[in-house]
Amino acid sequence: MSLAVLRSRALAGLAAPEVTVEVHLAAGLPSFTLVGLPDTEVKEARDRVRAAIQNCGFEFPQRRITVNLAPADLPKESGRFDLPIALGILIASGQIKAASLDAHEFAGELALSGDLRAVRGTLAMCAAIRREAGPQHLTARAFVLPLESAPEAALIRGMSILPAQNLLQVCAHLAGRELLAPFAVPPAPTFTRYPDLAEVKGQAQAKRALEVAAAGGHSLLMSGPPGAGKSMLAQRLPGLLPPMTDAEALESAAVHSLAGSFGLAQWHQRPFRAPHHSASSAALVGGGGTPRPGEISLAHNGTLFLDELPEFQRSVLEALREPLETGQIHIARALRRAEFPARFQLVAAMNPCPCGWQGHPAGKCRCTPDQVARYRGKLSGPLLDRIDLMLDVPAVDAADLSARGDGEASATVRDRVAAARVRQIERQGKPNAQLDPDEIDRHARPDAGGAQLLKQAMSHLSLTARAYHRILKVARTIADLAQVPDGAPLSATHIAEAVHYRRGLAH
């Protein structure tokens, strides 16, 4: 048999389309040709595969070898095709017999010695197999992977994962001499410990705003002098969020798998990403010749913390506007397109002025009004309009710093947040921050007093229609925390607190 056909997977965003690896041996001068839009990493497989085959004791055929990665119009990248290419050469040359190729898929990078190295994206590949085959047929096709990649892939329950340490083990399995043992399902994850809110001294108003943001999935901007606790507050938001569902955990893990940064310790842990303000637009939203997820996608189902917000490049911040609204990021290149999830909670922090001391009791600030205006002007109106809560975080006084045991623990606040989230999911199937205008009209109607107060706020603060809707969303969350019945309208008290959070930088 001079032709061997095996199956593998490519990566295109979170999708993992099937790739057919066809290996043909023909008479003629010895050559090794790879076709099917391979990138540099795939083309280099020729040297890795040749050395691996020889070092495993097989003979590399001195014939004309053609490897086709189909479909031909799908770009192929990374070294995951090394294993199916090497197996195809050995099968086509008759050195090993394999009668069950259709029952397997293969992915793995080969070392020159024939050992298998981990590949990124295995979780996304297994998720694609599950989507295509359906839950009732998960075990119909086994996935042969490097041993290091197996724990990640096994998070997709019910799949048959066959881990191997080297090429020889895979050959023995296909020949029926020594079958690979299915990988055992890892133990159920335990709850992750996050930094505790009780460690933050004082800042009662900021803690309340953080609870509201966690309960409704709202974005938050904090402004205050250095040392006020803005970063401490932001780091404690993941610990206030409800535990991740299995579906959320798989989505987040798949994104990190694509980036090659997933570890089992992250399973069921809310992501917290805090990129430096020197980050580029591609680093934040994703990109590259072969699109990779950026920080906003790595923060999916978690928190994206942007400290020193005005110090980020304006173009970088403007790129956040679309994913803040849609929860998705679409990356387009001349030859490739990718879509990544980006349903994150934005928490941002900034100083009130260039020196940072405006409003401090010590009177340290020497910034002129023009300097303050230019500093705050680095943030565009459209971006600020998409932030639900804006909050001034004052300096902590000595009395609060010396107090002990005066704050609620994260677990206590998380219980209230989880109860509010359950109400939202049962009522509308999503957090309040994701409500569309029609759903706002149904679930966030103010009473007469609340409507009048909101009308006055719109006039006095010159708020936009988007701000109007966001105030109602926040007010709905405040009502949920107060256990107001779903059918009851929002009162003036709820509207007033939501408007207060909206004022933030407006005064």
Side-chain angles (χ1 to χ4, degrees):
M1 180 180 181
S2 61
L3 177 66
V5 180
L6 301 92
R7 289 182 174 84
S8 187
R9 294 273 161 177
L11 291 176
L14 274 184
E18 182 178 303
V19 172
T20 302
V21 181
E22 302 171 332
V23 181
H24 180 252
L25 271 60
L29 292 175
S31 64
F32 194 155
T33 305
L34 271 168
V35 296
L37 279 186
D39 71 358
T40 302
E41 293 174 348
V42 181
K43 291 177 180 177
E44 290 174 347
R46 291 176 292 198
D47 299 312
R48 292 192 297 269
V49 166
R50 179 184 288 106
I53 288 177
Q54 293 173 340
N55 286 324
C56 286
F58 295 104
E59 179 184 352
F60 190 81
Q62 297 302 308
R63 301 172 66 184
R64 185 172 181 173
I65 303 172
T66 303
V67 177
N68 179 38
L69 305 177
D73 60 347
L74 176 68
K76 321 297 188 307
E77 49 82 29
S78 92
R80 72 176 60 86
F81 300 107
D82 289 4
L83 178 59
I85 290 173
L87 291 173
I89 292 174
L90 294 175
I91 294 169
S93 62
Q95 298 184 67
I96 63 173
K97 305 294 183 182
S100 58
L101 289 180
D102 287 341
H104 297 81
E105 291 195 15
F106 305 88
E109 179 182 331
L110 283 172
L112 299 185
S113 62
D115 291 339
L116 287 172
R117 290 175 172 158
V119 293
R120 65 179 183 87
T122 53
L123 191 58
M125 290 187 279
C126 290
I129 295 175
R130 182 173 70 172
R131 286 194 302 270
E132 294 175 8
Q136 66 277 18
H137 299 111
L138 280 180
T139 58
R141 185 179 291 172
F143 204 178
V144 180
L145 291 169
L147 182 60
E148 293 179 36
S149 300
E152 174 185 325
L155 294 174
I156 304 294
R157 304 293 179 178
M159 284 203 60
S160 177
I161 304 298
L162 302 179
Q165 292 181 311
N166 51 56
L167 178 61
L168 284 172
Q169 288 184 348
V170 182
C171 293
H173 172 81
L174 293 178
R177 294 194 302 271
E178 187 176 343
L179 298 180
L180 295 171
F183 187 80
V185 177
T190 57
F191 184 74
T192 305
R193 184 184 182 278
Y194 299 99
D196 202 301
L197 190 64
E199 298 168 354
V200 181
K201 302 294 184 179
Q203 303 298 4
Q205 185 183 36
K207 291 178 181 178
R208 167 63 176 176
L210 204 66
E211 179 180 345
V212 173
H218 302 290
S219 52
L220 171 65
L221 172 60
M222 296 179 285
S223 174
K230 303 184 295 294
S231 297
M232 285 188 70
L233 288 163
Q235 291 164 1
R236 279 142 185 83
L237 178 60
L240 304 184
L241 298 173
M244 297 182 80
T245 65
D246 286 342
E248 289 176 330
L250 280 175
E251 286 179 349
S252 296
V255 175
H256 282 265
S257 175
L258 285 178
S261 60
F262 178 73
L264 287 181
Q266 299 170 255
W267 179 243
H268 270 261
Q269 180 177 354
R270 293 279 182 184
F272 181 84
R273 308 293 298 187
H276 191 261
H277 58 74
S278 62
S280 66
S281 180
L284 201 64
V285 304
T290 300
R292 298 279 187 95
E295 292 291 333
I296 63 173
S297 295
L298 295 174
H300 181 59
N301 291 322
T303 302
L304 177 68
F305 177 47
L306 302 183
D307 200 6
E308 304 295 343
L309 188 66
E311 303 302 330
F312 282 82
Q313 298 178 31
R314 190 182 182 100
S315 60
V316 173
L317 295 180
E318 295 306 302
L320 294 176
R321 287 158 54 177
E322 178 192 351
L324 276 173
E325 293 283 349
T326 64
Q328 297 280 336
I329 184 68
H330 303 269
I331 300 174
R333 297 292 180 263
L335 296 177
R336 304 186 186 187
R337 303 175 66 89
E339 178 179 323
F340 299 107
R343 185 67 70 183
F344 59 92
Q345 270 191 262
L346 174 65
V347 179
M350 61 178 289
N351 295 326
C353 66
C355 76
W357 300 108
Q358 186 185 55
H360 194 276
K364 298 180 180 180
C365 180
R366 295 294 183 269
C367 297
T368 65
D370 286 344
Q371 289 175 323
V372 175
R374 284 196 298 271
Y375 179 74
R376 296 189 178 187
K378 294 180 180 180
L379 305 178
S380 70
L383 175 63
L384 292 176
D385 208 32
R386 287 168 167 80
I387 297 179
D388 297 336
L389 295 89
M390 302 179 191
L391 185 70
D392 286 326
V393 181
V396 184
D397 58 40
D400 287 331
L401 286 174
S402 60
R404 300 182 63 181
D406 61 339
E408 283 187 306
S410 291
T412 304
V413 179
R414 183 170 58 247
D415 290 341
R416 294 198 297 267
V417 168
R421 280 286 184 100
V422 169
R423 295 171 63 90
Q424 296 165 36
I425 299 303
E426 291 178 349
R427 182 177 61 236
Q428 69 235 1
K430 64 179 80 170
N432 288 332
Q434 300 174 25
L435 292 175
D436 59 37
D438 182 61
E439 292 169 327
I440 292 173
D441 291 339
R442 294 201 306 270
H443 304 303
R445 293 179 296 103
D447 60 16
Q452 181 62 28
L453 180 59
L454 185 53
K455 182 178 179 182
Q456 293 174 357
M458 291 289 294
S459 175
H460 293 163
L461 300 178
S462 301
L463 300 177
T464 65
R466 181 184 286 111
Y468 173 87
H469 286 141
R470 289 184 179 270
I471 288 174
L472 289 175
K473 293 178 185 180
V474 174
R476 178 69 261 178
T477 300
I478 295 169
D480 289 336
L481 286 169
Q483 300 181 0
V484 174
D486 291 343
L490 304 176
S491 69
T493 302
H494 306 137
I495 298 295
E497 185 176 355
V499 170
H500 172 73
Y501 293 137
R502 191 71 199 176
R503 294 184 62 186
L505 303 178
H507 61 280

